[in-house]
């Protein structure tokens, strides 16, 4: 029996070989996430903590972030106090950035407001593309932008709704991660894996 050759997006090879990175690429990245506000909050938080760092660092801190932020339960995170935030700044299992920790608590409140207005955070995010995946048919990874008109528009709207650390570059990456934008390369084995 001939084993099928697996091809992954080039960005995966820019990191040290890692089961965590490969699993994230193969199973999560770019695959549409709908009606799972907890997971969307988790991915948004990972993108925020990654800002200015590498994706590898954020992904390696994912378990710590998950524990620190109560498995990304929106109600529990929105009830965190300034004292809770201070404790997290001493937690070596996470990226101990004061502003990013505060932004995560703030964003739990913002998501709850969005849920009240749109029924879910998922509904809110997907309404920007009329529930459609944007497929850029990537053939050259160098042509993937850091941001685009969609991420600029979403970031502007999120800012007006009180989100923090959600600029157009972070939001472009979030849209990729949650599958609103499919930037898997055309040659990638996992491009259309659901």
């Amino acid at each position: 029996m001939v084993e099928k050759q697996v091809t992954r997006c080039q960005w995966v090879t820019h990191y040290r070989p890692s089961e965590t990175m490969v699993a994230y690429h193969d199973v999560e990245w770019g695959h549409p996430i709908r009606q799972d506000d907890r997971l969307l909050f988790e991915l948004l938080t990972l993108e925020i903590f990654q800002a200015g760092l590498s994706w590898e660092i954020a992904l390696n801190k994912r378990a710590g972030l998950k524990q620190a932020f109560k498995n990304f339960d929106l109600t529990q995170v929105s009830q965190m106090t300034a004292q809770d935030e201070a404790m997290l700044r001493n937690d070596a299992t996470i990226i101990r950035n004061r502003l990013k920790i505060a932004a995560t608590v703030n964003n739990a409140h913002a998501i709850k407001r969005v849920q009240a207005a749109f029924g879910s955070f998922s509904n809110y995010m997907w309404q920007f593309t009329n529930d459609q995946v944007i497929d850029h048919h990537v053939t050259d990874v160098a042509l993937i932008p850091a941001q685009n008109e969609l991420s600029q528009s979403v970031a502007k709207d999120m800012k007006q709704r009180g989100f923090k650390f959600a600029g157009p570059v972070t939001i472009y990456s979030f849209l990729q991660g949650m599958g609103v934008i499919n930037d898997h390369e055309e040659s990638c084995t996992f491009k259309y894996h659901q």
Side-chain angles (χ1 to χ4, degrees), residues 2-165:
V2 178
E3 197 172 303
K4 182 181 174 188
Q5 183 176 351
V6 172
T7 304
R8 292 184 174 88
C9 294
Q10 291 178 44
W11 67 260
V12 179
T13 66
H14 294 290
Y15 296 98
R16 289 176 290 147
S18 157
E19 286 183 23
T20 303
M21 188 69 69
V22 167
Y24 173 72
H25 168 270
D26 295 358
V27 177
E28 286 188 82
W29 189 74
H31 305 303
I33 299 168
R34 291 183 167 90
Q35 302 312 322
D36 189 342
D37 286 1
R38 189 212 59 78
L39 180 55
L40 291 177
F41 179 38
E42 179 177 349
L43 292 177
L44 177 62
T45 302
L46 284 172
E47 295 293 351
I48 288 167
F49 274 85
Q50 178 271 328
L53 303 170
S54 78
W55 183 243
E56 182 178 32
I57 291 170
L59 210 52
N60 287 337
K61 295 288 187 176
R62 188 176 194 174
L65 288 165
K66 208 170 198 170
Q67 183 171 347
F69 291 110
K70 320 290 186 193
N71 197 33
F72 295 98
D73 180 280
L74 286 160
T75 299
Q76 290 186 59
V77 176
S78 68
Q79 293 170 349
M80 292 177 82
T81 64
Q83 184 177 0
D84 293 325
E85 292 180 29
M87 286 175 52
L88 291 181
R89 290 196 297 273
N90 294 312
D91 184 344
T93 68
I94 69 169
I95 297 161
R96 296 175 284 184
N97 181 297
R98 179 181 60 83
L99 296 175
K100 293 177 182 182
I101 291 167
T104 300
V105 175
N106 171 83
N107 290 347
H109 290 280
I111 290 172
K112 287 175 80 67
R113 289 191 299 271
V114 163
Q115 287 175 325
F118 290 85
S120 71
F121 185 40
S122 174
N123 289 346
Y124 168 72
M125 292 306 302
W126 284 97
Q127 56 102 21
F128 288 100
T129 61
N130 295 316
D131 207 39
Q132 300 300 306
V133 172
I134 306 300
D135 188 341
H136 287 142
H137 302 286
V138 175
T139 55
D140 182 351
V141 70
L143 298 178
I144 297 174
Q147 61 179 294
N148 65 3
E149 286 183 27
L150 175 62
S151 73
Q152 291 163 4
S153 175
V154 174
K156 181 178 179 182
D157 194 85
M158 289 178 79
K159 182 177 181 181
Q160 291 171 346
R161 294 178 188 280
F163 285 85
K164 303 287 186 196
F165 268 88

